[in-house]
């Protein structure tokens, strides 16, 4: 289990993965974009929404978080954070030198 609450990240021992660590640390970044530049935030979400991968992420967010209202700032934040997590996972699991480095760094 992982949790971002009151601007603090909590990760439960035994459930630490590169994916959920990156996911939780991405929340403040995306929230910062929302606060500093709401137009950019909405534009980034719109770009995510226009991709096949983005549509898959949005569908997964709807299923995983049925209480989040689609189109709300919180929903869009979760979708963008999940997209960062997904891309990082794909890159880290690639057998490139960078992927191996990330794996060693995180574990």
């Amino acid at each position: 289990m992982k949790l971002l609450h009151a601007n603090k990240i909590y990760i439960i021992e035994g459930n630490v993965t590169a994916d959920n660590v990156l996911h939780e640390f991405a929340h403040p970044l995306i929230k910062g974009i929302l606060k500093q530049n709401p137009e950019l935030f909405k534009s980034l979400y719109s770009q995510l929404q226009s991709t096949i991968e983005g549509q898959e992420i949005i569908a997964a967010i709807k299923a995983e978080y049925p209480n989040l209202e689609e189109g709300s700032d919180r929903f869009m934040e979760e979708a963008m954070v999940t997209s960062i997590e997904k891309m990082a996972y794909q890159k880290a699991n690639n057998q490139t030198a960078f992927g191996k480095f990330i794996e060693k760094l995180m574990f």
Side-chain angles (χ1 to χ4, degrees), residues 44-67:
L44 290 170
Y45 179 77
S46 180
Q47 290 174 48
L48 174 65
Q49 203 174 27
S50 72
T51 67
I52 292 170
E53 295 90 345
Q55 291 167 16
E56 291 170 355
I57 289 168
I58 290 166
I61 299 299
K62 287 180 193 177
E64 189 172 347
Y65 302 100
N67 294 333

Side-chain angles (χ1 to χ4, degrees), residues 90-100 103:
Q90 289 171 347
K91 286 186 181 287
N93 287 305
N94 186 337
Q95 291 304 312
T96 65
F98 178 74
K100 291 176 186 176
E103 187 174 325

Side-chain angles (χ1 to χ4, degrees), residues 16-64:
V16 177
T17 67
D19 299 344
N20 61 29
V21 170
L22 180 62
H23 180 101
E24 295 309 320
F25 276 93
H27 276 286
L29 171 69
I30 299 301
K31 283 182 186 209
I33 294 171
L34 171 60
K35 284 185 176 185
Q36 294 295 316
N37 193 338
E39 289 179 25
L40 175 61
F41 178 85
K42 287 181 174 36
S43 174
L44 290 170
Y45 179 77
S46 180
Q47 290 174 48
L48 174 65
Q49 203 174 27
S50 72
T51 67
I52 292 170
E53 295 90 345
Q55 291 167 16
E56 291 170 355
I57 289 168
I58 290 166
I61 299 299
K62 287 180 193 177
E64 189 172 347

